[in-house]
Amino acid sequence: MKHKKKRIEKEYKEILTLTGKYLEQKKEQGERQVYLSENIEFSKKNKSLAMPENLLAELEKKLKNCRECNLGKSRTNLVFGAGNPNAWLMFVGEGPGHDEDMNGLPFIGRAGKLLTKIIEAMKMKREDVYIANIVKCHPMIDPDQPQKRGNDRPPRPEEIAQCKPFLLKQIEIIKPEVICTLGTHATQSLLEITTPIGVLRGKFCSFENCKLMPTYHPAALLRNSNLKKFVWEDMKKIMKEHSKN
Ligand code: SF4
């Protein structure tokens, strides 16, 4: 709620600044009258167009037929991202897998179900946060077999380079307070470093006007349940950080 209030305050400040500039300009042009009702309608219209949900929908529409990298040729569905456009917390994974590719939604397979449990343990629902990936199309070992399970691989640097600007745009629109990167590839790609996740996890870094917390990918927890306690420690740090704002 506080996060939303801060966003609304910021938006109103921006509107006031723009209105001030507009009035100054009109004054310089020699005008002594402005028609308030027309301007109010104009502001409302622009404000609704600039709502995060509309901006995300517009971006998703633009990406619908994206073939900027090879992943676009073999995907079944583009997995744009899902969740609350006003979320204070955003999770970022590396890329869609088989189930996500078949359904067009992020984190819905086994790892995704574990992520949902983690979110619920944080006393939230999946719909409260926003979930996206570094790349929006399924990276496959064999692109000729999109239906095959276990055909997943991490995204390649050139695929990340093509797709990352779209994720950055999503972050710019949502303006989360905290981004939680899931696993090595998401963390290293966003921070542009090669430090191992075991070293990075559990420590906040600054990223694009918000805080970024790296942690292990839920798929890693399915392989090694000893990692669960570290992820929970990281989630507690995220909740503590949020409670300060
Ligand atoms: S992965 Fe990203 S850049 Fe590549 S085709 Fe899909 S949307 Fe486009």
Side-chain angles (χ1 to χ4, degrees), residues 63-75 77-80 96 134-139 155 158-166:
L63 286 188
K64 212 169 167 257
N65 299 312
C66 180
R67 302 278 188 265
E68 290 285 323
C69 76
N70 278 334
L71 300 183
K73 294 176 191 156
S74 51
R75 70 161 182 250
N77 284 296
L78 185 134
V79 183
F80 179 72
I134 293 279
V135 294
K136 316 245 169 270
C137 304
H138 183 194
E158 65 275 17
E159 295 156 354
I160 293 171
Q162 287 292 346
C163 209
K164 192 174 153 186
F166 306 133

Side-chain angles (χ1 to χ4, degrees), residues 7-19:
R7 181 204 286 273
I8 291 167
E9 279 172 6
K10 197 172 158 221
E11 278 176 4
Y12 274 108
K13 269 185 199 159
E14 279 168 12
I15 289 170
L16 279 175
T17 311
L18 285 172
T19 309

Side-chain angles (χ1 to χ4, degrees), residues 213-236:
M213 170 62 78
T215 197
Y216 293 114
H217 194 283
L221 309 190
L222 292 172
R223 291 190 295 268
N224 179 2
S225 61
N226 290 331
L227 298 179
K228 283 184 182 172
K229 58 178 179 292
F230 298 115
V231 171
W232 185 235
E233 273 176 21
D234 302 345
M235 296 308 111
K236 283 196 283 188

Side-chain angles (χ1 to χ4, degrees), residues 10-195:
K10 197 172 158 221
E11 278 176 4
Y12 274 108
K13 269 185 199 159
E14 279 168 12
I15 289 170
L16 279 175
T17 311
L18 285 172
T19 309
K21 279 184 188 166
Y22 173 79
L23 291 173
E24 280 297 323
Q25 200 184 12
K26 288 284 159 196
K27 197 174 157 190
E28 275 167 27
Q29 288 167 354
E31 291 195 29
R32 294 288 171 264
Q33 273 187 333
V34 286
Y35 296 98
L36 200 53
S37 57
E38 280 177 26
N39 285 324
I40 285 169
E41 272 175 33
F42 176 77
S43 302
K44 269 186 189 165
K45 191 177 158 205
N46 279 319
K47 194 168 181 302
S48 84
L49 285 176
M51 296 288 265
E53 51 270 42
N54 294 339
L55 295 173
L56 286 174
E58 197 183 316
L59 180 63
E60 185 171 7
K61 203 170 148 197
K62 261 192 213 161
L63 286 188
K64 212 169 167 257
N65 299 312
C66 180
R67 302 278 188 265
E68 290 285 323
C69 76
N70 278 334
L71 300 183
K73 294 176 191 156
S74 51
R75 70 161 182 250
T76 304
N77 284 296
L78 185 134
V79 183
F80 179 72
N84 180 356
N86 294 297
W88 68 266
L89 175 59
M90 186 167 172
F91 287 96
V92 176
E94 67 181 47
H98 173 273
D99 293 336
E100 290 77 15
D101 187 29
M102 292 299 126
N103 293 283
L105 290 167
F107 280 89
I108 53 163
R110 279 182 70 217
K113 289 194 172 80
L114 184 52
L115 178 63
T116 304
K117 278 189 186 169
I118 295 169
I119 294 165
E120 286 168 358
M122 295 169 83
K123 305 271 179 264
M124 287 188 286
K125 294 193 286 283
R126 238 179 107 102
E127 307 79 72
D128 295 331
V129 303
Y130 196 88
I131 306 175
N133 283 301
I134 293 279
V135 294
K136 316 245 169 270
C137 304
H138 183 194
M140 296 176 215
I141 300 165
D142 181 356
D144 291 331
Q145 301 200 59
Q147 305 288 333
K148 189 179 153 193
R149 285 193 177 270
N151 190 18
D152 313 325
R153 63 163 172 82
R156 297 188 179 121
E158 65 275 17
E159 295 156 354
I160 293 171
Q162 287 292 346
C163 209
K164 192 174 153 186
F166 306 133
L167 173 68
L168 295 181
K169 189 72 200 164
Q170 284 172 300
I171 294 171
E172 188 193 314
I173 293 170
I174 297 165
K175 296 182 180 61
E177 195 182 304
V178 178
I179 295 173
C180 178
T181 49
L182 301 166
T184 305
H185 298 285
T187 307
Q188 292 183 344
S189 308
L190 268 193
L191 296 176
E192 297 185 347
I193 52 172
T194 54
T195 315

